[in-house]
Amino acid sequence: MLEREQAAIAATLLYGPDHLPAGLFAGDDNAVLRGLRVHANTISHARLVALEETFPRTRDYLGEAEFNRLSRAFVESGGAERLALSEIGRDFAGWLDDPLAADIARVEWAWLESFNAAEAPPLRLADLAGQDEAALLGLTVRLHPAARIVSLASGAAPLIDPAFAPGTAALLLTRPDAEVRLFALHDADDAALDRAKEISTLGNLIASLAEMHPDGGAAIAVLIDAGAFEKV
């Protein structure tokens, strides 16, 4: 019974009062519609606040007035329908026309995903100490569950962190401990990390990196130090 009532209320909020079954609420039609309108406005406000909290840098870049206009239009167009407050920003970046704003929003969403990802002990450089070459190259790893790779379609990297060069094409986000960290990615890093989405050996990853890096071993050490891998 409760599930049917909840479904009826959701349908009414989504599609209008014609979908409200008679007798579901006490009071005349006008009173019921006023109550539903207040409820809908409360939900809409909560969604707007959630977007503000999810995309603070995007908001700073666009300016408060423009961000509020765009986020309200996103919500009113149905971009947040059927999603929990923690998920309503999932498609927001793809909805933005400004390439810089869209890239900043993509990074912010990846930051949130990384922060909320499953816990897992990262592979650390100390784990490699004392191993001979064969054991080291045969060590099996995979991408850490909190690692995220964001390809940039614009020169937004310096807006995210002034330390990033304007031509940075991709960013790596990791959370080996409590804090999310961001790193600029070389093309070879991107390819090696993509390979590590499936279980791989360090030897294979080093060979992949060496195709474009002068020193694949040093490059893999940088990624390990960043917390990009989980030891299988």
Side-chain angles (χ1 to χ4, degrees):
M1 180 67 176
L2 178 60
E3 290 182 356
R4 289 199 301 272
E5 292 177 351
Q6 290 175 335
I9 294 171
T12 302
L13 292 174
L14 287 171
Y15 305 116
D18 290 343
H19 288 76
L20 180 65
L24 184 60
F25 296 109
D28 60 29
D29 290 347
N30 289 333
V32 171
L33 289 176
R34 282 197 301 271
L36 288 172
R37 192 174 296 114
V38 169
H39 183 60
N41 287 339
T42 301
I43 293 174
S44 177
H45 177 72
R47 287 169 171 168
L48 294 174
V49 171
L51 288 171
E52 288 182 0
E53 293 177 347
T54 302
F55 301 104
R57 293 188 181 185
T58 309
R59 186 186 184 200
D60 288 344
Y61 167 74
L62 289 170
E64 183 174 354
E66 180 65 3
F67 180 87
N68 288 344
R69 183 187 72 80
L70 290 170
S71 59
R72 185 174 296 278
F74 173 73
V75 169
E76 291 177 352
S77 70
E81 281 184 6
R82 307 178 190 276
L83 295 174
L85 287 180
S86 60
E87 291 288 320
I88 67 170
R90 185 185 63 194
D91 301 321
F92 186 62
W95 190 82
L96 297 173
D97 290 330
D98 184 329
L100 288 166
D103 274 347
I104 297 171
R106 266 191 285 272
V107 173
E108 291 193 287
W109 184 252
W111 188 98
L112 189 65
E113 286 188 325
S114 179
F115 182 79
N116 290 323
E119 299 285 346
L123 176 69
R124 300 186 185 275
L125 291 175
D127 296 330
L128 311 182
Q131 298 197 41
D132 60 30
E133 182 177 357
L136 186 66
L137 295 178
L139 187 67
T140 54
V141 301
R142 63 184 165 204
L143 198 65
H144 191 279
R148 295 292 184 276
I149 302 161
V150 181
S151 297
L152 302 176
S154 71
L159 296 174
I160 297 161
D161 187 330
F164 293 144
T168 301
L171 297 177
L172 167 68
L173 293 86
T174 65
R175 199 208 67 218
D177 299 302
E179 182 181 356
V180 177
R181 306 162 68 191
L182 281 81
F183 304 88
L185 279 184
H186 187 278
D187 289 344
D189 297 332
D190 197 353
L193 291 168
D194 187 64
R195 176 173 291 187
K197 289 177 182 177
E198 304 292 337
I199 293 175
S200 179
T201 64
L202 275 186
N204 285 338
L205 298 182
I206 291 171
S208 174
L209 286 163
E211 294 175 3
M212 298 180 68
H213 270 290
D215 188 340
I220 199 71
V222 170
L223 293 175
I224 293 171
D225 192 48
F229 303 113
E230 174 190 7
K231 186 167 69 172
V232 180

